[in-house]
Amino acid sequence: ALADDAPPAPAYGSIAAYLAVESDYRYRGISQNNSEVTPEGSLNWTGPMGFYAGTWLAKTDWGGKNPGFEMDIYGGKHFDLDGTDLNIEAYYYSYPDFNAFGGPKASYFEMQGYLTHTFDKLTLTAMGAYSPEWSLAGGDGWYTAGTAAYAITDWLSLSGTLGHQWVKAAPTDYTHWDIGATATYKSFTLDVRYVGNDIKAGDAGFWMATKGAVKDTVKANLTYNFNLL
């Protein structure tokens, strides 16, 4: 509603960042930090014509505190399809300090695509991703997910995600889900949600070695957002 009164965006774009702390860093339903509190941070450039790029960091522990952190690099472009947003993104998951004693690398690349449309207070997103070589030489990786978010007020929303992951070397594929609420106050965002998956105990070791990494949980994330440029 205030778009017409807002100052024009700089020709070079804008830079924003956030710092966060999460009770358990869950990626597609699986704990990446041994079910422990995780500090996180992100730096993102938003440019003209829908282009963007950024980086994201978080503490990790896959067992024996190895790797100690994750540093992701991404970039992409938004396209307006008659009111539906198409987002094409290249994403690199990096684990610089991972030590596999000469074994396969943990870092891997994924190509992602998102379609998002808003119907009044309801926003729906469909997502698909492909990796030519999953982490630790897992072979081809495919992923798809759908997210629904409903704005109850201008500061409170409910949302849920249902996703499915395939990896060639995995003993089986799996489905994960989450549902929760997000509240905002000035520059702060608090998200609380229930996270689960259908990974069987006998298959859990392929996805993550740490105990309890695939068990259902309730997690919270507190984020502080700020602009740099």
Side-chain angles (χ1 to χ4, degrees), residues 15-209:
I15 298 177
Y18 74 75
L19 297 174
V21 59
E22 192 166 12
S23 61
D24 184 5
Y25 165 25
R26 291 264 168 160
Y27 173 72
R28 297 177 183 173
I30 301 173
S31 178
Q32 304 294 305
N33 191 39
N34 200 18
S35 303
E36 297 176 353
V37 174
T38 307
E40 302 171 354
S42 178
L43 184 67
N44 189 77
W45 167 78
T46 301
M49 300 176 60
F51 287 100
Y52 66 92
T55 184
W56 182 87
L57 294 94
K59 179 181 176 296
T60 57
D61 180 0
W62 293 358
K65 303 190 182 301
N66 183 22
F69 71 101
E70 175 181 340
M71 182 177 67
D72 300 344
I73 301 170
Y74 57 86
K77 177 174 168 52
H78 290 274
F79 301 86
D80 181 14
L81 304 181
D82 194 24
T84 297
D85 179 69
L86 169 63
N87 179 17
I88 302 298
E89 182 174 270
Y91 205 102
Y92 185 67
Y93 302 84
S94 172
Y95 308 91
D97 68 338
F98 181 78
N99 181 8
F101 304 103
K105 295 181 179 179
S107 303
Y108 66 102
F109 170 81
E110 195 173 64
M111 200 69 197
Q112 304 176 353
Y114 302 80
L115 281 172
T116 301
H117 193 89
T118 298
F119 306 87
D120 192 19
K121 294 184 178 182
L122 177 66
T123 299
L124 300 178
T125 300
M127 182 257 195
Y130 169 72
S131 173
E133 186 62 61
W134 187 258
S135 182
L136 301 176
D140 288 2
W142 294 88
Y143 178 73
T144 185
T147 298
Y150 185 81
I152 298 176
T153 68
D154 59 353
W155 61 270
L156 180 65
S157 65
L158 300 177
S159 63
T161 295
L162 180 66
H164 196 84
Q165 179 73 66
W166 298 265
V167 174
K168 184 177 181 180
T172 182
D173 48 290
Y174 76 93
T175 299
H176 73 93
W177 54 85
D178 68 67
I179 185 168
T182 305
T184 60
Y185 176 73
K186 294 185 178 180
S187 297
F188 290 93
T189 300
L190 175 64
D191 181 88
V192 179
R193 64 189 51 247
Y194 176 87
V195 181
N197 60 70
D198 66 354
I199 299 175
K200 297 179 180 179
D203 299 329
F206 173 86
W207 300 104
M208 187 58 61

